Structures are given as C-alpha cells and as structure tokens.
Amino acid sequence: MANRQIEHSNGARRVTVREGASHILLDDVAKQIIEQLQEDGRRPYATIGKAVGLSEAAVRQRVQRLLDAGVMQIVAVTDPLQLGFPRQAMIGLRTDGDLEAVADRLADLEEIDYVVITAGSFDLLAEVVCRNDEHLLEILQKLRAVPGVLATEAFVYLKLRKQTYSWGTA
C-alpha cells in the first residue's frame, strides 16, 4: 500500500493520499473518539476519555494510531473569505488518456485543494480558492495546459450555505 504525501515549497503539509487503502475496521470506541473530535477538534483528551471510558493516555494513543493510519486528520477549517480569498470554484474536467495520471498531476498543483475522480459528465472535479477572478482565470489556464485535460467548466461559488465535517462514523 503506497502513501503519497503532498508537500508545498512553503512547508505546508497537505493531505496524505492512501493509495489502495482498504476500509479499516474501527471498534465502537475509535468511532466515538472520531465523533468527539468531529464535534470539536480541540476537545481535550481527558474530556474525550471521560466520554468514551478511557484514560487520557489511552485516548492519545488511539488518536495517534488513527492519524498514522490515515483514518482522520485534525486541521483548522478556515473561512476563505475572511482570509482574503473571495472567489471559490468547483471545476469539472473532461479528460483523455490515463485518468488517474491526470488526477495525480492536478493533485500536485498547489492551487488545487481537492481532486476527485467522478462518474457522470465530468471525469474529475477540482476545488480552488482564489484571490480574485483573474487568479481563477490563471488557474483555469494552468489546468487546461495539463496533458490529458480536454475541457474545463468552472462552477463559481456565490454563497456557501453549509459546510460540515461532522458526518459521524458508519
């Protein structure tokens, strides 16, 4: 099973993509820990321990194993608008050739925050956060230059109504 860590020149760590990862079976305690952290990623391990019936040290170990296995990440979720990025867009891409190779090339671009292979009228979806419309245009031109990209269609976000990361566990 190969891991691919995406890192930028400024040192910022990106998502680790676990290639070929199989579904990891989680016990009820691990799921409860995940749900506690989905509600509040800064919740103290001692508080989580009381809620799930473990010591603080045991919760710390469990969280580290979940992080190491790529089951979850603990990150700060920001509001791009308040950080000076007023333009967000989802870009649909139609491709030709090796779909996964094109997806990997897009994932390597610093401007792309999210890449998924899809079924339907687009082969890939990529999300971007931009400084302005000119920046969005620059990104679109860069995407169109990627070998294997045939066409792009940008869906500009006008207003974000809901964004959640607390879908629980199965």
Side-chain angles (χ1 to χ4, degrees):
M1 178 172 6
N3 286 340
R4 190 166 55 98
Q5 179 93 3
I6 301 169
E7 196 163 315
H8 292 289
S9 57
N10 66 4
R13 201 171 128 218
R14 300 288 300 256
V15 174
T16 298
V17 178
R18 299 197 53 167
E19 297 170 359
S22 61
H23 180 71
I24 296 171
L25 295 176
L26 302 173
D27 64 13
D28 288 337
V29 174
K31 290 179 180 181
Q32 290 174 33
I33 291 170
I34 291 168
E35 289 169 357
Q36 290 279 315
L37 289 168
Q38 283 179 327
E39 289 175 17
D40 180 0
R42 296 177 57 192
R43 186 165 287 158
Y45 291 152
T47 303
I48 295 170
K50 289 177 186 171
V52 302
L54 293 176
S55 69
E56 178 180 351
V59 170
R60 179 177 283 104
Q61 289 175 348
R62 290 263 194 144
V63 167
Q64 190 60 53
R65 282 196 305 256
L66 292 167
L67 293 168
D68 291 344
V71 172
M72 67 176 193
Q73 296 177 38
I74 300 173
V75 297
V77 178
T78 60
D79 179 351
L81 186 61
Q82 293 189 42
L83 294 176
F85 296 98
R87 177 60 69 223
Q88 290 179 265
M90 183 67 68
I91 302 169
L93 297 104
R94 291 186 184 85
T95 65
D96 186 32
D98 185 346
L99 180 59
E100 293 202 20
V102 176
D104 288 343
R105 282 189 212 108
L106 295 179
D108 288 340
L109 297 175
E110 186 173 339
E111 298 87 350
I112 306 294
D113 297 313
Y114 173 84
V115 177
V116 293
I117 296 172
T118 63
S121 60
F122 295 104
D123 300 308
L124 299 167
L125 292 176
E127 186 176 44
V128 296
V129 177
C130 307
R131 293 182 303 274
N132 51 40
D133 287 338
E134 185 174 322
H135 186 213
L136 175 58
L137 181 58
E138 290 170 16
I139 293 170
L140 287 169
Q141 290 170 337
K142 195 175 213 178
L143 295 180
R144 290 177 182 134
V146 170
V149 172
L150 297 176
T152 63
E153 185 172 346
F155 300 91
V156 174
Y157 299 1
L158 298 177
K159 186 180 266 189
L160 182 63
R161 296 301 288 190
K162 181 178 181 180
Q163 182 176 19
T164 182
Y165 298 99
S166 58
W167 50 80
T169 58

